[in-house]
Amino acid sequence: MPEPTPGRLSARRVLALVTDPGTFAELPHPARQSPPDGPLGWQGYDASRARAAERTGEEESVVVGTARVEGTAAVLIAFEFGFLGGSLGEHTGDRLEAAYVHARAHRLPVLQLVATGGSRMQEGMLALSQLQRVARQSALTREAGLPQIAVLRDPTTGGGWATLGAGADVILALPGAQVGFAGSRVRPPDADPAAYTAEAQFAAGAADAVVPPEELKASLGLWLRLLTAPAPIPADPPLALGSTALPATGWEAVRRARAPHRPRAEAYLDAYFTRRVALVGDRCGGADPDGMLCGFGERDGRTVAFAAQTGTATRPAGYRTAARLIRLADRLGIPVLTLVDTPGAANDAAAERQGAGAAIAELFGEVAAARTPITTLVIGEGGSGGALALAAPGSTWATPDSYFSVIAPELAAAILKRPPEQTETTAGHLRIRPQDLVELGVVRGIVGHSRGGPA
């Protein structure tokens, strides 16, 4: 008999794949007495459950317990798709609730290994209402400051995707898994099947990564370590990677910040963190991987979250992803580092249709409301409000290769009806050099290469 694909492994096999050997302990199952053929008296339901139990060795469509993943303790929820399509019924809801309650009582993260076709038809609306129950337990766990990670197996559809899957803080998916609210039997006949895949959900910003099975345990272990290490100490600003000499004029500051070979966000993140993982997508159908890098990294043995602009015009999805990152870090008590580097927010028609103003406003609000410390370093261009939205008031630093301006000097000259040859003079009038920003109180200091860090 051929070996099943990794996405279709049984609940027990998936648990064995990701947990440390010998550490899984199943949680007690809540006792619930059901009438014959379930709450609706659905003829043949008991027989279907009996056949599913005989086929899978399970009594329900989920297995819940505790284990260690690469050394980190967690509560695990593993769906058994072979048991009535991994569907949710009242007994399923009992087990899921018990898992979340145990997680909160013991301050453990929740890891959900999802493979489900949705709610169980043989239990009607009582089955569908389990989604509300799951959502409530997830919300309580979120309020308790505990991370939730979902792994999307094949398939993850219906209410299971719309609660346990899409509602998690971090969403990983196995390659080729069918993922979507509509299952294959209920979607429109002319629907493109490629839209209902893990890869499509990643491209649309609904999943953070597509992870091969052989890398899943290590990936989950790293995520769990990083998300369960709160530290209220502010992140230190990175050291400058470019020139240490200060620009003589405003226009020189602009030219240096726009230089194509100046160190960008990737170089700063590589130098700052020993390892890091990416948080991708705004969960609203968009991602800006070329304009905003978000995630969590390890710095001197502790976790720091990061949101970093890459030197391009930031798109609405990038701002929403950064806002999502800051919300999560704030809830988990993890400090945040932001790197400012953009000529400004994207201002094309597509950006307006995607809600540029609302996305920037959301990020301004998250930075302003965050209780966790945020540290900002301007590493290149600081173009207007599109850059300022990512900057922490009172805790922003600058590199010698940077500038920060209310508007680009060229646009300022045009607005003031100055001829183009006065652009360089206008840059000086705007006082946008790093040393000007320190004098104006906009930034706290200028970082150097070594010894003492911020100057």
Side-chain angles (χ1 to χ4, degrees):
M1 185 173 181
E3 184 73 9
T5 62
R8 285 288 175 92
L9 292 179
S10 70
R12 304 284 174 173
R13 291 286 300 277
V14 170
L15 287 168
L17 181 69
V18 302
T19 60
D20 297 345
T23 65
F24 181 75
E26 197 163 350
L27 292 174
H29 300 155
R32 177 194 288 265
Q33 296 298 320
S34 295
D37 281 332
L40 304 185
W42 188 287
Q43 187 175 0
Y45 181 37
D46 283 348
S48 295
R49 287 175 55 87
R51 287 193 298 271
E54 182 178 3
R55 184 169 55 250
T56 64
E58 305 295 346
E59 297 176 354
E60 247 308 326
S61 58
V62 292
V63 178
V64 299
T66 60
R68 291 190 176 274
V69 179
E70 297 272 295
T72 301
V75 167
L76 290 96
I77 297 169
F79 277 74
E80 175 53 71
F81 187 76
F83 192 103
L84 300 181
S87 57
L88 281 77
E90 286 187 299
H91 288 275
T92 322
D94 291 341
R95 294 190 179 197
L96 294 172
E97 182 174 69
Y100 281 108
V101 169
H102 186 89
R104 293 195 299 273
H106 297 272
R107 303 294 304 165
L108 295 174
V110 179
L111 173 56
Q112 300 143 188
L113 307 167
V114 187
T116 174
S119 299
R120 196 167 298 171
M121 291 178 295
Q122 296 93 329
E123 296 186 23
M125 280 302 299
L126 291 175
L128 189 65
S129 67
Q130 300 306 306
L131 302 181
Q132 295 172 318
R133 191 178 179 188
V134 169
R136 174 63 175 163
Q137 291 301 316
S138 178
L140 291 173
T141 304
R142 190 175 301 115
E143 290 174 5
L146 299 170
Q148 300 172 65
I149 301 175
V151 175
L152 312 180
R153 297 155 55 207
D154 183 39
T156 298
T157 60
W161 164 231
T163 51
L164 288 154
D169 299 316
V170 175
I171 302 174
L172 310 180
L174 292 174
Q178 180 190 169
V179 181
F181 185 64
S184 58
R185 297 183 183 181
V186 297
R187 67 183 64 140
D190 59 347
D192 179 7
Y196 301 84
T197 63
E199 290 77 7
Q201 297 293 350
F202 172 71
D208 294 297
V210 177
V211 183
E214 63 273 16
E215 299 175 13
L216 185 58
K217 182 178 180 179
S219 178
L220 288 171
L222 179 55
W223 270 110
L224 288 168
R225 283 197 302 277
L226 291 173
L227 296 185
T228 56
I233 304 170
D236 53 310
L239 299 178
L241 298 180
S243 172
T244 54
L246 294 175
T249 67
W251 188 243
E252 183 186 347
V254 173
R255 286 192 300 103
R256 283 171 52 175
R258 293 176 179 174
H261 301 299
R262 170 185 55 77
R264 306 287 168 136
E266 285 276 10
Y268 276 91
L269 296 175
D270 286 343
Y272 193 79
F273 293 111
T274 54
R275 64 178 85 184
R276 67 183 194 268
V277 290
L279 203 72
V280 178
D282 63 2
R283 298 295 185 263
C284 301
D288 186 19
D290 297 325
M292 182 78 78
L293 304 177
C294 294
F296 294 83
E298 188 175 69
R299 166 75 170 174
D300 296 332
R302 65 190 186 100
T303 302
V304 175
F306 63 85
Q309 291 169 318
T310 63
T312 64
T314 308
R315 305 206 64 80
Y319 291 113
R320 284 191 288 262
T321 304
R324 173 189 162 216
L325 180 280
I326 292 172
R327 276 195 302 272
L328 178 56
D330 190 47
R331 178 157 53 80
L332 300 180
I334 295 172
V336 179
L337 170 70
T338 65
L339 302 180
V340 170
D341 187 8
T342 180
N347 59 5
D348 53 29
E352 293 298 335
R353 284 192 291 267
Q354 293 160 7
I360 296 170
E362 180 185 1
L363 182 54
F364 266 119
E366 294 299 338
V367 171
R371 296 159 297 178
T372 197
I374 301 177
T375 302
T376 298
L377 180 64
V378 186
I379 63 172
E381 291 195 81
S384 194
L388 189 66
L390 202 59
S395 189
T396 294
W397 309 83
T399 68
D401 283 334
S402 69
Y403 78 88
F404 220 142
S405 179
V406 63
I407 194 171
E410 298 93 333
L411 298 179
I415 290 172
L416 295 172
K417 298 182 179 179
R418 295 179 175 180
E421 56 267 24
Q422 291 191 22
T423 295
E424 295 185 17
T425 302
T426 302
H429 291 163
L430 289 169
R431 300 198 64 193
I432 60 180
R433 300 175 303 168
Q435 57 268 44
D436 296 325
L437 301 173
V438 172
E439 186 176 337
L440 292 169
V442 175
V443 303
R444 290 182 59 180
I446 302 168
V447 299
H449 271 290
S450 61
R451 287 198 298 274

